[in-house]
Amino acid sequence: MAAYFLLRRGERMSHLKLMKLLYLADREAMDKYSMPISGDKMASLPNGPVLSMTLDYMNGALKSQQGGWEYWISDKANHEVTLKNHIDNISRQSFDELSDADIEILDTIWDQFGSMTRWEIKDYTHENCKEWVDPHGSSNPISPKELFIALGRSPQEAAELCAYIESDRSTDDLFAGL
């Protein structure tokens, strides 16, 4: 997801803007398909909502698996991240872990928010993502249920969708051990 947005931007972007685009893409996927693209946990931070593990990758606090974050994206410098130099001739096949529906969501988010500055998109998330609550210098988790309710689902539907997401994660965990 991050590499796709960086490619759309011209290979370099503010880490704050990239994080907001990633968050908004997962949010849109949950609204449209009831499942996030990344599967990352969400949290409220002072600068708005984030994807927790992705933020750790961005900050160098977490190492990814082979072919993951470090393969695609250079370490953060001057508050920006870039695609790595060895990424040549990127095509749709390079993003084979993203479905056509995922790419459609990413393109929709890029078309809507790609021209915003990092501060404009941060302000947008503060004003329009009802699930974000100012943690006053700390961080607070955003549960999938809170997000579904912010997206207009009833508490009962939100709980059912959360159960569906958890069962999907359990199935993934089961098959990951094979």
Side-chain angles (χ1 to χ4, degrees):
M1 291 171 62
Y4 188 82
F5 280 135
L6 285 167
L7 186 63
R8 292 285 317 257
R9 171 67 172 81
E11 301 183 13
R12 176 181 302 276
M13 187 184 314
S14 153
H15 74 284
L16 178 63
K17 180 175 178 172
L18 178 59
M19 177 53 68
K20 299 307 168 216
L21 291 169
L22 294 168
Y23 179 84
L24 290 168
D26 258 3
R27 187 179 196 271
E28 178 70 13
M30 290 178 75
D31 191 26
K32 191 168 186 178
Y33 299 114
S34 302
M35 290 291 288
I37 298 171
S38 73
D40 201 344
K41 292 185 189 307
M42 299 175 167
S44 290
L45 268 67
N47 281 329
V50 300
L51 302 179
S52 297
M53 192 165 54
T54 303
L55 183 62
D56 287 342
Y57 289 137
M58 228 181 248
N59 289 332
L62 189 62
K63 297 294 178 196
S64 66
Q65 297 176 351
Q66 185 176 359
W69 184 268
E70 291 89 13
Y71 174 80
W72 289 91
I73 301 176
S74 295
D75 291 341
K76 184 172 65 173
N78 296 322
H79 306 286
E80 291 188 329
V81 292
T82 59
L83 281 175
K84 286 214 171 167
N85 294 332
H86 67 274
I87 305 294
D88 294 322
N89 301 318
I90 294 178
S91 67
R92 170 64 180 102
Q93 290 75 27
S94 304
F95 302 105
D96 61 345
E97 292 192 24
L98 296 172
S99 70
D100 289 342
D102 295 339
I103 295 290
E104 182 181 312
I105 295 270
L106 297 177
D107 285 338
T108 297
I109 294 301
W110 180 258
D111 292 344
Q112 189 173 356
F113 301 102
S115 64
M116 287 184 174
T117 68
R118 63 183 166 218
W119 305 117
E120 290 169 337
I121 198 169
K122 175 196 75 96
D123 290 345
Y124 175 89
T125 61
H126 283 207
E127 295 163 9
N128 295 282
C129 297
K130 296 175 188 172
E131 67 279 8
W132 178 78
V133 177
D134 187 350
H136 302 289
S138 185
S139 68
N140 293 318
I142 298 172
S143 72
K145 184 175 181 181
E146 290 170 311
L147 179 56
F148 284 126
I149 290 170
L151 291 170
R153 305 305 202 291
S154 70
Q156 180 179 345
E157 185 180 6
E160 290 168 2
L161 292 169
C162 289
Y164 174 72
I165 290 171
E166 284 304 314
S167 72
D168 186 66
R169 284 184 182 152
S170 297
T171 302
D172 286 348
D173 291 346
L174 177 68
F175 286 106
L178 297 178

